[in-house]
Amino acid sequence: MNIVVCVKQVLDPEIPADKFRVRANQVVPPEEVAPVINPYDAQAIEAALRLKEKHGAKITAITVGSPDAEDVVRRALSMGVDEGIVLSDDAFTGSDSSATAYILAQAIQKIDAADLILCGREAADWGVGLVGPLIAERLNLPVITLAKNIELLDGNILKVEQVIPDGYQVLEVSPPAVVTVSGEIGLPRLPTGMGIITAARMEIPVWTNQDINADTSLIGANAVHSTLVSLSIPERERKCEIISGETPAELATNLTAKLKELGLI
Amino acid sequence: MDLAPRVAAKVKTGLTAHCTDLYIDKAGDKPQLIAVVPGWGGNLMVKIACPEKRPQMATVKPGVMEKPDRVKDRQGQIIRIETNINDADFRARTIEIIEEKPSGIPLDEADIIVAGGWGLESVGGFELVEELAEVLGGAVGGTRPAVDKGWLPEERMIGSSGKTVSPKFFISAGASGAMHFTTGFLKSKVILAIDKNPKAPIFEVCDLGIVGDLGKIIPCLVGELKAAT
């Protein structure tokens, strides 16, 4: 089975709120914080690796970004992914979800017939979760979002458990298909020492638009449908009243009185 | 999750997903929809428009809009469209649906929610939160670290990658207040935070705060509330 995992480099979502800066409608990354692999994409890699362990597979990680985005592909390789490709070209700069999905779809078509395309449920930066379904649309493939478990059944059928409110549903689909992976799949494995050494030695090709032949009218900043109106740090409107009291018992008494006053109990 | 993007691609327009607010901006040549989304787990407020293409599309995050009451005599035109779907169009097939009714009060129906975080570890765990929720008749929720610890199931997670809630009274216990958590309950009517660190960012997003040892304060509070109600 050939599996392609789409990964994205993002600003570490765990950085404290006061490190966020916005200038001219752009996020200014804090200098001391290195970008990371989108945590949901790491879970998509985990899902791919579990399938590989059980059934054997060749896994390719691809990313669209600056040449620096190589770091996230190398991270994927160190976790056990077999090959990686960086898609980087000035023509790609400013692409929205739709254009990014098109770029990825063009690349996926160039990779040996992919049976399964995996994405994280969303990226930790914009958090919109559009790229996976849009790749499916581009390639005219079925898509299943929010998978918490993926299995390959006899007869080459993928069985996917999809998270829904108050439970999950079991779907079956014949490959090729696109699946986005939900948090419920569990924590992704950490790279092993050997994995890191192997990954460090691997060549990661950079493909430009010459390699994937995307229609330039459909990519980059000129192709965007949705535009950013503003980016700002949200105002905090609440004023916190700290309940006074010397002992836990006194604090509890004073709080209970306050809650009564507010009609909350 | 997958329907709206595919429709947007079919009609060749932009889509803004997981919005927390929508309004019409009438300032320009033609009125346009402004979609507000929390970026970077709620650290940033992002406003997005779709200036050229029509229709404009957005999906709304569950739990953030108030559900209006039903107006009985409203009339509307219902348009029926004949579709031409055949068996071959169904490529992914649902085999079965498994209901996992969460035990306890569902988060989206609760007037009171008590949510716990990492800070509970040093004081003996999550039982404190459960006790407090029980005496208040509220639902239990938690942060990502609390879910990762296995203290509560994933569907009880509050925050940008979990549920968005807006109860009348929200209590956060032992959570420092990472944005991707706080963004999940900012629209609650009254927010109470209990944490041992007076400098924790959680105190910037609450109405009432208690600084102190959770392991001592919560049992006292449970006792007081039992006596008061």
Side-chain angles (χ1 to χ4, degrees):
Chain A
M1 183 161 58
N2 284 319
I3 305 175
V4 175
V5 187
C6 304
V7 296
K8 183 180 185 182
Q9 189 176 46
V10 296
L11 185 60
D12 190 342
E14 295 300 327
I15 66 168
D18 58 8
K19 292 254 191 266
F20 271 88
R21 298 279 179 276
V22 168
R23 199 181 303 136
N25 270 349
Q26 284 203 318
V27 178
V28 184
E31 267 172 33
E32 69 276 28
V33 181
V36 295
I37 186 166
N38 172 38
Y40 296 116
D41 297 345
Q43 290 182 303
I45 293 170
E46 178 61 35
L49 292 169
R50 287 180 197 172
L51 284 168
K52 180 182 168 178
E53 282 161 356
K54 231 171 167 182
H55 307 283
K58 191 186 115 191
I59 309 172
T60 309
I62 58 174
T63 191
V64 182
S66 67
D68 293 346
E70 186 194 289
D71 290 351
V72 294
V73 174
R74 218 171 278 286
R75 171 86 187 183
L77 294 172
S78 69
M79 288 170 73
V81 164
D82 301 291
E83 286 180 14
I85 301 160
V86 174
L87 307 166
S88 191
D89 194 309
D90 287 343
F92 301 161
T93 310
S95 291
D96 62 7
S97 303
S98 165
T100 303
Y102 172 51
I103 294 163
L104 289 164
Q106 288 293 106
I108 290 163
Q109 283 175 306
K110 239 195 101 173
I111 300 169
D112 304 336
D115 300 296
L116 176 61
I117 296 142
L118 294 176
C119 299
R121 60 172 275 181
E122 64 192 49
D125 48 11
W126 298 99
V128 292
L130 294 176
V131 166
L134 289 171
I135 290 172
E137 185 62 27
R138 272 284 165 199
L139 297 174
N140 191 23
L141 295 179
V143 60
I144 299 170
T145 53
L146 296 179
K148 72 174 185 120
N149 191 33
I150 308 169
E151 284 171 50
L152 184 65
L153 305 180
D154 294 341
N156 196 31
I157 288 174
L158 287 162
K159 179 180 156 198
V160 181
E161 292 174 9
Q162 176 185 53
V163 178
I164 54 173
D166 296 336
Y168 63 96
Q169 65 175 330
V170 182
L171 294 118
E172 287 183 2
V173 65
S174 294
V178 178
V179 176
T180 77
V181 174
S182 187
E184 284 84 346
I185 202 124
L187 291 175
R189 69 194 64 191
L190 293 169
T192 60
M194 201 55 217
I196 293 169
I197 294 166
T198 315
R201 290 183 184 144
M202 285 172 78
E203 280 284 310
I204 299 174
V206 177
W207 288 1
T208 65
N209 198 31
Q210 276 198 329
D211 298 293
I212 63 164
N213 242 328
D215 178 344
T216 49
S217 71
L218 299 176
I219 56 172
N222 293 328
V224 299
H225 295 334
S226 302
T227 58
L228 184 66
V229 177
S230 73
L231 195 60
S232 57
I233 292 171
E235 296 267 331
R236 302 278 163 239
E237 287 156 11
R238 292 176 195 265
K239 276 240 152 58
C240 176
E241 178 188 341
I242 298 287
I243 304 293
S244 59
E246 294 294 320
T247 63
E250 205 181 316
L251 283 167
T253 310
N254 292 347
L255 176 66
T256 306
K258 185 79 197 174
L259 297 181
K260 267 190 189 155
E261 183 193 319
L262 292 169
L264 291 168
I265 54 168
Chain B
M1 292 291 286
D2 52 339
L3 179 68
R6 298 198 82 152
V7 172
K10 288 260 192 297
V11 300
K12 296 189 166 55
T13 191
L15 167 71
T16 310
H18 307 340
C19 300
T20 52
D21 196 12
L22 298 167
Y23 65 93
I24 306 289
D25 174 23
K26 291 179 182 151
D29 307 337
K30 54 181 174 184
Q32 63 178 359
L33 180 76
I34 305 291
V36 182
V37 281
W40 278 266
N43 283 293
L44 296 172
M45 187 168 75
V46 187
K47 293 184 177 179
I48 292 169
C50 180
E52 301 302 327
K53 298 281 180 172
R54 291 293 178 271
Q56 305 161 91
M57 282 183 70
T59 68
V60 172
K61 211 174 158 68
V64 298
M65 304 276 175
E66 234 170 275
K67 285 179 196 152
D69 288 330
R70 197 186 171 102
V71 181
K72 261 201 172 154
D73 43 3
R74 287 278 302 169
Q75 297 263 322
Q77 193 194 353
I78 295 169
I79 303 165
R80 291 198 184 278
I81 295 171
E82 289 297 318
T83 52
N84 222 338
I85 297 169
N86 58 51
D87 215 41
D89 293 317
F90 294 90
R91 294 182 291 183
R93 287 176 182 280
T94 301
I95 305 302
E96 61 177 323
I97 293 176
I98 289 122
E99 197 174 341
E100 289 180 327
K101 265 278 177 226
S103 55
I105 305 166
L107 284 176
D108 49 6
E109 289 171 19
D111 283 337
I112 298 177
I113 294 173
V114 186
W118 179 251
L120 289 160
E121 184 169 56
S122 55
V123 296
F126 213 69
E127 291 78 17
L128 290 170
V129 160
E130 284 160 0
E131 280 171 36
L132 184 55
E134 199 189 324
V135 70
L136 286 166
V140 173
T143 63
R144 160 64 72 191
V147 171
D148 286 345
K149 279 254 152 215
W151 290 340
L152 73 174
E154 182 98 16
E155 83 257 0
R156 293 261 161 200
M157 184 169 68
I158 291 165
S160 56
S161 53
K163 293 253 162 71
T164 303
V165 295
S166 42
K168 290 192 183 113
F169 186 27
F170 185 91
I171 303 174
S172 160
S176 61
M179 283 276 201
H180 45 85
F181 169 54
T182 60
T183 192
F185 61 84
L186 277 182
K187 289 191 175 173
S188 307
K189 284 230 168 68
V190 177
I191 299 168
L192 162 70
I194 312 174
D195 197 63
K196 65 172 191 292
N197 175 12
K199 289 190 176 145
I202 190 77
F203 291 114
E204 288 165 29
V205 297
C206 66
D207 306 285
L208 299 170
I210 286 197
V211 180
D213 182 347
L214 292 156
K216 292 189 177 126
I217 289 168
I218 295 181
C220 287
L221 191 55
V222 169
E224 283 278 342
L225 290 167
K226 270 190 188 149
T229 51

